[in-house]
Amino acid sequence: MQAITGSFFMEKARRTEADRLVRWLKPLRNERGGVHLLLTALLAMSFAVLLLATGWNSLVHGHTVNKAKTLLDQAVRAASLNIVPEQAAMGRLVWDEAAGRADFAQYVRLNFKLHDDMRPKTNSPLTAAPIVHRLEFVTNPTYPYTLSRSITVHSGTDRQTTRSVSVTVFGPSVVAIVELEQRQLGTGRTEPVVISSAANVRLR
């Protein structure tokens, strides 16, 4: 009796699963239903690819900014060390701006692996020459002081935009604002990344 009962319930369960499969496949037998399912699947896949591309672009953007910021900080620090010794001996801070700009350019070329004309080498992390919008030797009567500048990216093209950059300094400083190009996944386009850096100087 128990064997008959168990067999009955197993057969019923198999029929239930078979009925569910038939109901699920029924729309596929209908041409219109099959097309709807196919379109839904394609839309879902397109949305998933879009999310993947957006997430990847955000990840690459963050990595590019973090890495480039460190390299740019070193170049700005090198520029800030060029002070006139005779003036410093009297307690005055006077930069040798020509030497500072030369050191900044040298460190940018070395750190980003660029040719003398700033074009990227094959092992460079950049895809195009960086654009140095500002390299300023900043002093102000009072600190902290916020330096605000507006820069134009993609100048002269239909993608031209203006961006505002603010940097707060806490003493005499060298400030750089640099534009880098970053490729966007799946678009074949590049997106400008604007990075700022500041190096404070204190006389001892």
Side-chain angles (χ1 to χ4, degrees):
M1 183 67 179
Q2 291 180 351
I4 294 174
T5 303
S7 176
F8 171 76
F9 281 111
M10 290 179 62
E11 181 64 24
K12 185 176 181 180
R14 283 196 294 268
R15 289 179 179 177
T16 301
E17 290 298 324
D19 290 342
R20 289 176 181 173
L21 182 60
V22 168
R23 285 196 300 269
W24 188 82
L25 291 175
K26 187 176 180 180
L28 295 178
R29 297 175 181 175
N30 182 288
E31 183 178 348
R32 182 179 298 175
V35 171
H36 288 169
L37 282 177
L38 180 60
L39 289 176
T40 302
L42 289 175
L43 286 174
M45 290 175 61
S46 300
F47 183 68
V49 170
L50 179 61
L51 284 179
L52 177 62
T54 302
W56 178 255
N57 284 331
S58 298
L59 182 64
V60 171
H61 175 82
H63 177 72
T64 299
V65 170
N66 290 337
K67 184 176 181 179
K69 181 72 166 62
T70 300
L71 300 177
L72 183 62
D73 287 346
Q74 295 172 3
V76 173
R77 180 61 181 167
S80 71
L81 297 178
N82 289 276
I83 60 177
V84 179
E86 296 79 10
Q87 296 293 333
M90 293 184 289
R92 293 194 292 265
L93 176 61
V94 178
W95 274 293
D96 183 344
E97 293 193 19
R101 293 180 186 279
D103 280 353
F104 174 82
Q106 180 182 9
Y107 270 77
V108 167
R109 286 195 297 268
L110 291 173
N111 287 353
F112 290 100
K113 298 179 175 58
L114 308 174
H115 292 287
D116 289 343
D117 60 358
M118 304 300 274
R119 290 182 300 104
K121 297 180 180 179
T122 54
N123 59 343
S124 172
L126 304 182
T127 59
I131 300 174
V132 181
H133 287 278
R134 298 280 183 174
L135 179 61
E136 299 188 30
F137 296 78
V138 180
T139 57
N140 198 64
T142 60
Y143 299 97
Y145 167 66
T146 299
L147 179 77
S148 297
R149 295 289 183 266
S150 294
I151 63 171
T152 301
V153 298
H154 285 152
S155 180
T157 71
D158 58 351
R159 298 169 61 196
Q160 176 174 314
T161 56
T162 301
R163 296 187 180 181
S164 297
V165 179
S166 296
V167 180
T168 300
V169 297
F170 299 89
S173 304
V174 176
V175 177
I177 302 175
V178 177
E179 176 188 342
L180 308 175
E181 289 290 329
Q182 172 188 299
R183 293 191 183 280
Q184 288 189 307
L185 178 67
T187 65
R189 299 172 58 184
T190 58
E191 177 68 18
V193 178
V194 178
I195 302 174
S196 62
S197 177
N200 294 335
V201 178
R202 289 187 176 88
L203 290 177
R204 296 184 179 179

